[in-house]
């Protein structure tokens, strides 16, 4: 189980990303429209002004049961070992165990 402080930090990042999403999109569109290099640098400086944690690349998918950030499966929203336990317990419809 991930620490509660780490999970809360991730939620804070999600809120910041949602808050600054439109600003970032509009600035990126402006950069594509402008042809002069000096104007592009100016807009790029504005793009760096929002907080770092509002960047979408800083977000992580987390397991909604344990909060684990690694080995997540997008289809289920679960980490690998929780997914395996649930499949073994027949709690996920349509998922089958492999055996060879």
């Amino acid at each position: 189980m991930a620490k509660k402080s780490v999970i809360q930090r991730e939620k804070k990042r999600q809120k910041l990303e949602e808050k600054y999403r439109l600003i970032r999109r509009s600035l990126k569109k402006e950069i594509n429209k402008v042809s002069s290099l000096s104007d592009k640098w100016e807009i790029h400086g504005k793009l760096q002004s929002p907080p770092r944690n509002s960047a979408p690349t800083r977000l992580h998918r987390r397991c909604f049961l344990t909060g684990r950030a690694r080995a997540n499966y997008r289809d289920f929203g679960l980490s690998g070992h929780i997914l395996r336990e649930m499949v073994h317990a027949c709690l996920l419809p349509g998922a089958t165990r492999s055996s060879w």
Side-chain angles (χ1 to χ4, degrees), residues 21 23 31 40-41 46 49 52 65 71 73 85-86:
R21 183 181 297 155
I23 295 170
I31 286 177
K40 285 188 178 188
W41 280 109
K46 290 179 186 175
S49 64
R52 277 188 172 182
L65 288 179
Y73 289 85
E85 288 177 2
M86 291 182 80

Side-chain angles (χ1 to χ4, degrees), residues 31 33 38 40 50 56 71 82 84 90-91 99:
I31 286 177
K33 290 179 183 177
S38 61
K40 285 188 178 188
I82 296 294
R84 186 171 189 271
C90 299
L91 297 174
S99 59

